[in-house]
Structures are given as C-alpha cells and as structure tokens.
Amino acid sequence: MPLSPKELARAQFGRVASNYRCSADHTDVEDMDLLFTGLALDPAHRVLDVATGGGHTAAALAGGSGRVVASDLTPSMLREARATVAERGAGNVVFAAADAEALPFRDAAFDRVTCRIAPHHFPDVRSALAEMVRVTRPGGRVGIIDSVVPGDPSLDAFLNGVEKVRDPSHVRSYRVEEWLEFLAGSGLLLLQAGSMWKSHAFPEWVARTGRPEAVQREVETIFLSAVPLARETFRIRTEGGRVVSYSDEKAIFVAKKPGDSPG
C-alpha cells in the first residue's frame, strides 16, 4: 500500500531532518522581520509554532515571548529543533509531537500561533488553519509564512511540478489569492500581508531532500529547459550549463482571531 501524505512527509523529513536545521533557506530569518512586526509579541505571550522543522522560528520567537511550544509531525525534526534551541540558549521553549491538522492542545490555549515554510506540505491546509485558529485565544494572532506561486497557470504548474519531483511530500504552494480566501474562510481578520523574493543556491536546495542523484539531475534539467517566462520570473541563473540559483516568493500573513481580548 502506498504511504499516506502524512506518512510520506514523516518518512521524507525523518531521513534528512539535519539538512533542514542547517539549511541556508531556513536559517535565513529575514522573512521573519515582517512577521514579528505584525505579531506584536509580548513577554507574557504563550506562542505555538506549528511544523517547527529545524526550530529556527521557535528559537526566534523565544526572545520576545513568555513560553513557546514547538510542534512537529516528525520526531527527528523535533530532535533537530531541540538542538537549534539549545544552541540559541532559549530556555522557554518546550516541544510536542503534533499533527497540524489535529493539534493536541485545548481551545484558546495560545496568544500567538505561527507556521513558517510548512503549509505547502499539509494535505488539507484549511483543516490545519482551522486548528490554528481553534487553539488561538479570542483577540490573538496567527502568523503564516509560506512559498507562493504566481497567478499565471503555467508558472504555477512549473514551480509546483518542480517541487513535486524534488520532494514527494510537497502538496501544493498556493497563490496569494488562495491564501486570502483560506484566512477569510477560517474567520480570521487580516492585519498584514506582504511578500519577499528569496534566492536559493541550487546545489544545496536540490540536495536537501536527499533524493537520488538521478532525481536531482531531473530537477536541474527542468530548470534548464524552462521557457523564457519561467526563467525570468523565477530568476533562474545558470553557468556552464548548470543551474546556480533560482528565486521564489514567500508570502507573510498576520491575521487576528475575532474577540474582545486585546490583540
């Protein structure tokens, strides 16, 4: 029997968890500046970081929060997150194994909930968002950062297709308009929306998922044969017939859960 999407994700990340703790893309926290501005963290806040991965977001949150819970579906990722947090000397972070679509926390348990560079792996992003909203107190805030794709269907298909080859646990990177629908549909009130383009060094990016050399070469071939619009949009750089880097867009959303409590 084929693995379910969650089993696939657990198996995929379990094999290469340390790659994500050391990943240049995940350790580069420039995208968190906008997120933290919108979150308006307070030292008294209880914060949940969903799908914490290598723990970089949880470690950053710890400096401005009272207590941070770092959760992830994959046990080996939690081990890597513990190492990241220990390196940063953050003593107010605890860890929990958790499925983003069935969080094991009581209603309204947190003042802030975050999820960074992970929703594109969720089989049902609406369910995951509903769970994040459920565990956020009235008046609390939810912050999301994730890869997004352009509105042009051919560019959407190109980038999601590349990601599927590189990482079988990839479900879908959404358009900004889709994310706005998800947030509104979950009952959240949008406070802030922004985006930034992020450059990825191709050799490290393609090797990070631990796929065989033949698959990595297949991904490179897709980039090398990209139509001009895709090459320009995703800023694909090549040298000597090899891909050097490409860029994609990260969207940053902060939204508020309706309620009487101060935000």
Side-chain angles (χ1 to χ4, degrees):
M1 264 183 83
L3 295 176
S4 71
K6 291 175 187 177
E7 291 170 334
L8 186 61
R10 190 183 285 113
Q12 169 69 24
F13 287 110
R15 287 192 298 268
V16 293
S18 62
N19 292 356
Y20 285 82
R21 181 164 71 89
C22 303
S23 155
D25 291 336
H26 293 76
T27 56
D28 175 9
V29 294
E30 182 185 358
D31 55 349
M32 279 197 266
D33 289 344
L34 279 173
L35 179 71
F36 279 33
T37 298
L39 287 174
L41 293 170
D42 184 276
H45 281 160
R46 301 156 296 166
V47 182
L48 171 65
D49 186 40
V50 176
T52 197
H56 306 99
T57 307
L61 289 164
S65 311
R67 186 170 186 263
V68 178
V69 177
S71 71
D72 203 278
L73 181 69
T74 306
S76 55
M77 276 296 197
L78 289 174
R79 287 195 293 272
E80 296 298 329
R82 287 179 188 276
T84 299
V85 168
E87 287 172 0
R88 308 281 180 85
N92 58 335
V93 182
V94 297
F95 303 87
D99 180 343
E101 296 172 16
L103 295 171
F105 309 110
R106 62 178 174 80
D107 295 358
F110 299 96
D111 301 287
R112 301 289 187 267
V113 176
T114 60
C115 187
R116 175 176 176 254
I117 319 181
H120 58 274
H121 293 289
F122 298 161
D124 187 343
V125 71
R126 289 182 179 86
S127 292
L129 192 55
E131 278 292 273
M132 293 181 217
V133 173
R134 178 184 66 78
V135 302
T136 302
R137 67 164 170 81
R141 301 186 185 191
V142 175
I144 303 285
I145 297 177
D146 204 20
S147 306
V148 292
V149 292
D152 184 292
S154 67
L155 297 175
D156 177 331
F158 175 85
L159 197 56
N160 274 302
V162 163
E163 287 282 14
K164 271 285 191 184
V165 176
R166 169 183 172 262
D167 180 358
S169 71
H170 178 86
V171 175
R172 173 164 166 74
S173 292
Y174 297 94
R175 293 177 287 107
V176 168
E177 293 79 7
E178 290 177 289
W179 266 111
L180 295 176
E181 291 174 6
F182 296 155
L183 294 166
S186 70
L188 289 168
L189 306 174
L190 186 67
L191 298 177
Q192 174 183 296
S195 71
M196 61 178 290
W197 282 81
K198 197 164 190 174
S199 178
H200 308 277
F202 183 82
E204 190 269 344
W205 174 83
V206 77
R208 187 185 309 148
T209 58
R211 299 283 278 156
E213 188 70 33
V215 174
Q216 295 182 37
R217 184 60 187 170
E218 181 183 354
V219 174
E220 186 170 32
T221 299
I222 295 170
F223 273 108
L224 290 171
S225 60
V227 299
L229 179 61
R231 293 178 71 92
E232 179 182 354
T233 301
F234 300 118
R235 305 171 192 178
I236 299 169
R237 289 185 52 240
T238 61
E239 288 180 7
R242 304 302 301 269
V243 179
V244 175
S245 66
Y246 89 99
S247 298
D248 70 349
E249 187 178 11
K250 307 297 181 190
I252 303 104
F253 305 102
V254 178
K256 180 178 179 179
K257 181 175 179 176
D260 296 330
S261 300

